Amino acid sequence: MRGQDDRQAYDRGTSLFSPDGRLYQVEYAREAVKRGGASVGIRATDGVVLVAERRIRSSLLEARSIEKLHKIDEHNGVASAGHVADARQLVEEARQTAQIEQLSYDQPITPEQLTGDVSEHVQEYTQAGHTRPFGAALLVGGYVEGTPQLFETDPSGTSYEWQATAIGGNSDEIEEELESEYDPEISLDAASSLAVSVLTEEEEDDPETVAVAVIDDDGYRTLDREAIEDLL
Amino acid sequence: METETGNDVTVQKTGTTTVGLVTAEGVVLAADRRASLGGRFVSNKQAVKIEQIHPTAAVTLSGSVGAGQAFIRQLRSTANLYEARRGEPMNMDALARTAGRLLRGTRSMPVLGGVDEEGPRVFQIDPAGGVLEDTYTASGSGTQLATGALERLYEEDLSLAEGASVATQAVESAIERDTASGNGITVARITSEDVMIDIDSTSEEVH
């Protein structure tokens, strides 16, 4: 088998490696994440901010129905990119995992543990038969016992910890911008402004095009239209 | 509080007197602090029998301590999941229905109190899953003594402070004569804003 045939033979199943050690379906799922709007997460000294781009394709669409920021529990939130329907399944998994941790151990789940558990779930879908990988990536931000943390999980089920990062369309360019702008001593307010600015175009000033959530000592909350206008 | 002997194992019970009542400004819950074994031994003198389970709701524990604690954990978890999924807290009807479902077959008989868009609400939940809404109610071994006091003292449209005084007096009445109730009083004040639990309420406001 050569060329096009070669690839077709090895991307039929998720659990099939190509001779050069690649899982094509997982790589395609990563591409699916890049097709959607971007989400940005930044860890500040006193909390974490998550910002998601909203692509409003019609003036008739209710912007609030574009769900890309999700409360997981009092201490953790998720920003998603890629297939929204796939992301919703992962968010539900995360919410149940968070409550099980509290019920089992009488302690809030950390973003690290939460991401680990969701990643295990995602990984199963890259190895089991009759499934396809999740076409979504998540940023998990949380503030537990005075510690802000930001994690990412991708369609392969790999997790990473970040100071600041982006997932979804245009994420490489956004990440470059974050690399030059990020300061480890940044405050949550400054991080919120930075996250919104890297996600919006220069002249953009419509607060409907982004959604913002912050997680700090007071827990998870989304910002209203006025607060977002201030950030713009 | 009482003790309970089942399968030859004596488990801790709250014995208990807990009350809940509706005021013009919110809900008041009150409970004594004694846990007992077999109704004849005070196994704990600092039990806290009121727990917040929702931004504007709390329950009292009465009956088996273990069943009550398990019930509270499940109810709190369900309320948290509901709010995370839907972006708004459970209303009291949903919370009461869930409480009734979770209690079926247990040995716990809590009072549920909270405030939602319909205002301050109090529910008596029983171990068969029965859910009855009321303006004032009591549970535990001191029920009859506390209810007698409530019949005499309760009025409609009390302030929150007056309600706290009535609830405290009702529990105090039971503590005087019920051997399974005692060791101080916990009072919770619930408004549309939040839940304030005074773990060891002094009885200054009673007299």
Side-chain angles (χ1 to χ4, degrees), chain B residues 4 23 30 46 73 89 116 119 123 139 142-143 146 177 192 200 204:
Chain B
E4 167 193 340
T23 74
Q46 48 194 359
R73 289 193 287 266
D116 65 9
F123 298 84
S139 79
T143 295
R177 294 279 176 167
S192 58
D200 194 16
E204 279 167 28

Side-chain angles (χ1 to χ4, degrees), chain B residues 12-29:
Chain B
Q12 295 195 77
K13 293 188 75 176
T14 56
T16 299
T17 305
T18 83
V19 304
L21 56 85
V22 169
T23 74
E25 300 166 357
V27 166
V28 177
L29 302 177

Side-chain angles (χ1 to χ4, degrees), chain A residues 71 92 95-96 99 103, chain B residues 73 77 80-81 83-85:
Chain A
K71 178 180 176 178
E92 178 60 21
R95 284 173 176 160
Q96 292 193 24
Q99 291 306 318
L103 275 173
Chain B
R73 289 193 287 266
S77 182
N80 287 344
L81 259 184
E83 188 178 344
R85 284 171 175 155

Side-chain angles (χ1 to χ4, degrees), chain B:
Chain B
M1 305 253 207
E2 307 150 21
T3 57
E4 167 193 340
T5 315
N7 300 325
D8 296 318
V9 181
T10 305
V11 301
Q12 295 195 77
K13 293 188 75 176
T14 56
T16 299
T17 305
T18 83
V19 304
L21 56 85
V22 169
T23 74
E25 300 166 357
V27 166
V28 177
L29 302 177
D32 71 302
R33 302 197 60 193
R34 178 171 296 179
S36 57
L37 281 165
R40 301 185 62 172
F41 178 71
V42 177
S43 58
N44 194 304
K45 299 193 285 188
Q46 48 194 359
V48 178
K49 304 181 198 170
I50 304 178
E51 294 218 35
Q52 182 173 0
I53 41 93
H54 172 278
T56 61
V59 288
T60 69
L61 259 143
S62 86
S64 154
V65 173
Q69 289 179 336
F71 159 71
I72 283 168
R73 289 193 287 266
Q74 288 285 349
L75 187 58
R76 187 182 285 145
S77 182
T78 304
N80 287 344
L81 259 184
Y82 184 107
E83 188 178 344
R85 284 171 175 155
R86 305 184 188 214
E88 60 185 20
M90 276 176 121
N91 65 38
M92 289 307 297
D93 292 298
L95 205 52
R97 174 67 64 89
T98 306
R101 179 171 56 77
L102 292 175
L103 268 187
R104 271 182 75 86
T106 68
R107 293 166 175 273
S108 187
M109 185 136 173
V111 175
L112 167 67
V115 180
D116 65 9
E117 63 272 17
E118 290 186 30
R121 329 245 325 246
V122 162
F123 298 84
Q124 174 79 258
I125 324 268
D126 75 40
V131 176
L132 292 171
E133 186 166 5
D134 213 335
T135 48
Y136 59 96
T137 188
S139 79
S141 55
T143 295
Q144 295 185 11
L145 295 158
T147 306
L150 286 173
E151 293 295 352
R152 185 166 49 85
L153 297 170
Y154 183 81
E155 291 170 27
E156 276 183 24
D157 296 327
L158 293 170
S159 69
L160 203 60
E162 289 166 341
S165 172
V166 168
T168 308
Q169 289 180 69
V171 175
E172 287 219 325
S173 294
I175 285 175
E176 291 291 329
R177 294 279 176 167
D178 175 35
T179 54
S181 299
N183 303 104
I185 297 177
T186 300
V187 176
R189 295 167 178 80
I190 308 165
T191 64
S192 58
E193 300 288 311
D194 58 9
V195 177
M196 300 276 288
I197 299 180
D198 185 357
I199 288 172
D200 194 16
S201 173
T202 57
S203 52
E204 279 167 28
E205 55 197 332
V206 175
H207 303 291

Side-chain angles (χ1 to χ4, degrees), chain A residues 208-225:
Chain A
E208 293 282 302
T209 58
V210 289
V212 183
V214 293
I215 310 111
D216 62 8
D217 205 23
D218 295 326
Y220 174 97
R221 62 194 179 279
T222 51
L223 301 192
D224 59 21
R225 197 189 160 98

